[in-house]
Amino acid sequence: MTEVIRHDLIILGSGLAGLRAAVEACRVSGGKISVGLVSKVQLMRAHSVCAEGGTAAVLRPEEGDSFELHAWDTVKGSDFLADQDVVHRFVRIMPEEILLLEHWGIPWSRDPDGRIAQRPFGGHSFPRATFAEDKTGFFEMQTLYDTLLKYDNWTGYSEWFATSILVEDGRFRGLTVIEMASGKFYVMEGKALIIATGGAGTLFGFTTYSQTVTGDGLALAYRAGIPLEDMEFLQFHPTGLIPSGILMTEACRGEGGYLLNNRGERFMANYAPERMELAPRDVVSRAMMTEIEQGRGFKGPRGLDYLHLDLRHLGRDRILERLPLIREVTLKFLGLDPIEEPIPVRPVAHYSMGGIETDIDGKTRVEGIWAAGEAAAVSLHGANRLGTNSTAECLAWGAISGKQAAEYVMHQGPAEKAPEELVRREYERVFGDLLRREGRENLYHLRQELRDTMVTAAGVFRTGDQLEEGLRRVREIRERFQFISIQDKGRAYNTNLIHALETENLIDVAEVLLAGALAREESRGAHARRDFPKRDDEKWLKHTLAFRTPEGPRLEYKPVVITTWKPVERTY
Ligand SMILES: Cc1cc2nc3c(=O)[nH]c(=O)nc-3n(C[C@H](O)[C@H](O)[C@H](O)COP(=O)(O)OP(=O)(O)OC[C@H]3O[C@@H](n4cnc5c(N)ncnc54)[C@H](O)[C@@H]3O)c2cc1C
């Protein structure tokens, strides 16, 4: 029989969004509810520890920054697809989040006069990236975790893998979860759920993301009947290290670094003369790919031609003080010292603007389920996210969803039992079907093929033909997935089985991304169609919603919330 674990509130994911939600839920409930915090990796190994460059907030109004400016930068950066009510709310919340973290003990980097330091970032017209060296995510996670330890009404589940979200009659009923150490299958019953499972970065072969970021929460929500929104908008960060894809934070350019082509030119002068290297990421990535395609790049391994990120003129002291991680990484991975040599970089898959559809509070259309952080599409980033707005979003909507879900739970009666039929079916799917497969397809090759397909089909520039071919190949990969082989038939730490579950999730997310991208016949933000090179507000100023059907995603659309600024031409 399947064992049952009960909590009032379950938080799926312990990255910045999940931890911030947990702190808030514990805070507002005053110990009256029990919170379960679930992560497929050790709680403190969530991908968020990798965030480098900073977190956006208006801290210096006296020097010219303002909520309006931050909001305008975000809306313009989004290519006008962000919901403007969401953006206005976001910018007003952020200063308090920065100060809360300060009070909870984060070592923000400081200016010589002792104030919290802020540095420039792409697409922001004021230096408002708040940072802790170039290890911002690590320090934020550490601070939130330390704060959470003050409360005793939560339980952590490190290395527990969620396989499905149970929904009945439009309401949340529970999760099915595998305890990875033992391989035991559990039902977690609860009154509310916050999905904070992060993005889907490893859908692409060349990525900045941790290998654990496999879009699980997106696929689980999609299968539970919640639509995915705007998934075609996948951000390519301009500066991935060659050949690994490790992120060279935008803070390198925020601190004054240059991008150079093989003629030694700062080519951004031809694409974004005002903002140069600090134009938004979609603009810089397209410029870099154009330089490379037109022969002004350097020959790289495995077709990874590249350009140079030059920090030398910043000088040793500034690099050691502000970018120590970057130097450590280039020394360790390439034996290259950025104090003396330029760094080889090219655009790299980095961030999912889309995600689980929510309202402005992070609430999904299923009663009792919220989503927060990169997994959610609260519609803050639209078609292109500005750097430092993501860790900020995790804090803002972690706090909002944590508070709301806790208050919701406190007004509910006892949790109802999870539907036995759904639990039985899920057990059968995982252990009766998947674990028993002994087909001819190599699971690991199949995932690699999927990731290569996405690089070819849905890169910085896209065409209808490429997207169509990509969709065909992903559907073929789904067919072949039926014939995979799981060699490890055991239960304890069966990473072979987990790999299969993750791959199945990635396949669902890939199909949604490609279908949305193929349908959207325009270019907007990170979605650049060579066959439809212009933004088309008349037809496409709307959000894509993908609903799961047995035949594949069904697409619907919903309007963008425009409260303040009508779309205008986007120049930098
Ligand atoms: C290298 C890098 C640097 C970045 N730097 C910055 C920056 O400086 N500023 C900025 O604003 N943004 C930055 N970003 C983006 C930002 O880091 C992420 O968007 C953000 O950290 C995502 O946090 P999250 O809490 O939503 O998810 P994550 O931190 O990815 O956490 C996801 C959690 O969900 C859990 N989980 C997932 N699936 C399952 C499952 N099936 N079962 C159980 N648990 C599951 C995971 O174990 C994990 O605990 C960066 C991104 C990268 C790749």
Side-chain angles (χ1 to χ4, degrees):
M1 223 188 63
T2 310
E3 281 187 47
V4 178
I5 295 171
R6 282 192 190 90
H7 288 288
D8 295 311
L9 170 62
I10 302 167
I11 300 175
L12 183 57
S14 64
L16 280 174
L19 285 182
R20 183 67 189 87
V23 168
E24 201 58 24
C26 289
R27 239 159 62 112
V28 303
S29 64
K32 288 198 204 82
I33 65 170
S34 85
V35 177
L37 183 60
V38 183
S39 168
K40 69 176 179 180
V41 294
Q42 293 285 324
L43 292 186
M44 284 299 287
R45 287 275 174 104
H47 162 79
S48 287
V49 288
C50 301
E52 296 175 4
T55 298
V58 173
L59 297 185
R60 300 187 176 192
E62 71 286 358
E63 289 178 16
D65 202 4
S66 69
F67 292 142
E68 278 60 40
L69 201 54
H70 189 186
W72 165 246
D73 289 341
T74 302
V75 169
K76 185 178 173 195
S78 82
D79 218 347
F80 298 92
L81 199 73
D83 283 348
Q84 295 180 13
D85 53 347
V86 169
V87 176
H88 285 301
R89 182 175 189 189
F90 164 70
V91 298
R92 282 169 172 74
I93 291 173
M94 276 320 297
E96 195 188 328
E97 285 297 316
I98 297 293
L99 295 183
L100 266 177
L101 281 172
E102 164 98 345
H103 293 156
W104 289 337
I106 197 172
W108 291 126
S109 290
R110 324 294 296 199
D111 279 341
D113 64 6
R115 289 185 306 166
I116 294 174
Q118 292 197 297
R119 62 182 161 205
F121 243 73
H124 291 278
S125 41
F126 192 90
R128 60 171 79 92
T130 318
F131 59 98
E133 293 181 338
D134 51 359
K135 301 169 192 160
T136 307
F138 169 79
F139 286 116
E140 289 177 342
M141 288 276 293
Q142 197 69 49
T143 305
L144 289 172
Y145 190 68
D146 283 351
T147 307
L148 189 60
L149 291 176
K150 292 181 196 151
Y151 300 93
D152 55 12
N153 56 322
W154 68 280
T155 309
Y157 296 87
S158 275
E159 299 186 333
W160 286 58
F161 187 94
T163 70
S164 77
I165 298 171
L166 306 170
V167 172
E168 195 181 47
D169 301 330
R171 291 176 70 118
F172 173 64
R173 288 282 183 260
L175 287 181
T176 54
V177 197
I178 299 171
E179 182 193 24
M180 289 163 69
S182 65
K184 270 175 80 175
F185 185 74
Y186 286 86
V187 178
M188 263 191 194
E189 289 175 353
K191 301 177 202 171
L193 168 72
I194 299 174
I195 307 171
T197 45
T202 57
L203 199 48
F204 286 72
F206 188 60
T207 178
T208 55
Y209 262 83
S210 310
Q211 292 303 315
T212 52
V213 180
T214 53
D216 300 344
L218 303 173
L220 265 53
Y222 181 57
R223 287 181 209 137
I226 307 174
L228 300 184
E229 180 178 328
D230 290 340
M231 287 300 295
E232 61 269 35
F233 298 103
L234 193 289
Q235 178 162 83
F236 291 85
H237 192 293
T239 51
L241 186 65
I242 300 294
S244 58
I246 297 174
L247 183 75
M248 297 288 100
T249 171
E250 193 167 299
C252 294
R253 286 169 282 136
E255 294 292 347
Y258 298 151
L259 288 171
L260 304 176
N261 61 18
N262 67 11
R263 300 173 181 165
E265 296 162 344
R266 286 180 71 191
F267 56 87
M268 283 309 299
N270 301 325
Y271 301 89
E274 270 180 44
R275 291 293 175 86
M276 296 291 288
E277 284 87 352
L278 288 178
R281 290 173 180 174
D282 59 330
V283 175
V284 181
S285 287
R286 280 194 292 277
M288 289 176 75
M289 289 315 293
T290 306
E291 289 295 300
I292 290 171
E293 284 173 10
Q294 294 181 356
R296 292 187 290 279
F298 300 89
K299 262 271 137 310
R302 303 196 312 268
L304 294 172
D305 291 357
Y306 60 84
L307 295 157
H308 275 156
L309 171 63
D310 195 352
L311 305 183
R312 289 173 295 182
H313 55 287
L314 303 183
R316 183 185 183 83
D317 291 350
R318 193 161 185 89
I319 291 173
L320 292 184
E321 187 203 327
R322 296 293 183 94
L323 302 165
L325 178 70
I326 291 303
R327 181 164 185 258
E328 190 185 322
V329 167
T330 54
L331 279 171
K332 276 194 182 147
F333 283 78
L334 292 184
L336 178 155
D337 188 346
I339 295 171
E340 283 157 16
E341 285 176 83
I343 307 170
V345 291
R346 71 179 265 134
V348 57
H350 182 64
Y351 183 84
S352 305
M353 263 76 71
I356 299 163
E357 187 218 22
T358 75
D359 67 10
I360 191 170
D361 294 327
K363 204 166 177 313
T364 70
R365 25 177 107 193
V366 170
E367 163 111 37
I369 302 186
W370 281 255
E374 193 171 340
V378 69
S379 299
L380 172 66
H381 310 299
N384 176 62
R385 168 176 78 89
L386 294 189
T388 67
N389 268 357
S390 168
T391 46
E393 178 192 8
C394 289
L395 296 172
W397 270 274
I400 293 169
S401 64
K403 177 171 188 292
Q404 289 210 355
E407 284 169 352
Y408 170 85
V409 157
M410 287 192 282
H411 291 99
Q412 298 293 305
E416 287 174 43
K417 253 175 79 57
E420 277 172 23
E421 179 54 21
L422 290 185
V423 175
R424 193 193 57 73
R425 265 196 259 153
E426 182 60 10
Y427 182 89
E428 264 311 298
R429 180 180 84 91
V430 178
F431 294 105
D433 174 13
L434 210 48
L435 184 64
R436 295 209 179 134
R437 286 192 199 173
E438 291 191 344
R440 59 182 182 279
E441 291 286 351
N442 180 310
L443 170 63
Y444 298 87
H445 292 172
L446 212 56
R447 193 196 277 197
Q448 191 55 46
E449 246 184 89
L450 176 70
R451 300 178 67 191
D452 293 344
T453 300
M454 294 306 286
V455 170
T456 314
V460 172
F461 290 108
R462 303 156 173 194
T463 67
D465 288 347
Q466 283 170 339
L467 291 164
E468 219 166 326
E469 172 59 11
L471 201 50
R472 194 193 60 72
R473 290 200 58 189
V474 167
R475 286 177 174 156
E476 185 193 294
I477 287 170
R478 183 194 292 291
E479 287 301 309
R480 287 165 54 202
F481 185 81
Q482 301 305 314
F483 305 102
I484 58 165
S485 172
I486 305 276
Q487 256 103 32
D488 183 352
K489 303 292 182 198
R491 291 287 177 105
Y493 275 119
N494 190 339
T495 49
N496 199 188
L497 175 66
I498 296 295
H499 197 83
L501 288 162
E502 290 175 343
T503 304
E504 208 170 22
N505 293 338
L506 284 170
I507 292 172
D508 270 356
V509 176
E511 194 183 13
V512 171
L513 190 157
L514 291 170
L518 182 61
R520 187 174 280 275
E521 295 185 333
E522 66 158 354
S523 287
R524 184 185 296 272
H527 174 65
R529 290 273 301 249
R530 284 215 149 104
D531 41 357
F532 295 96
K534 293 238 160 10
R535 195 177 77 199
D536 182 349
D537 289 329
E538 210 170 292
K539 284 200 195 129
W540 289 104
L541 185 58
K542 56 190 181 185
H543 298 293
T544 308
L545 294 179
F547 294 82
R548 183 163 186 261
T549 77
E551 293 77 42
R554 185 187 79 242
L555 301 183
E556 290 182 13
Y557 296 91
K558 70 173 188 184
V560 177
V561 178
I562 294 182
T563 58
T564 318
W565 297 288
K566 291 228 157 40
V568 291
E569 198 192 343
R570 192 165 160 254
T571 52
Y572 288 98

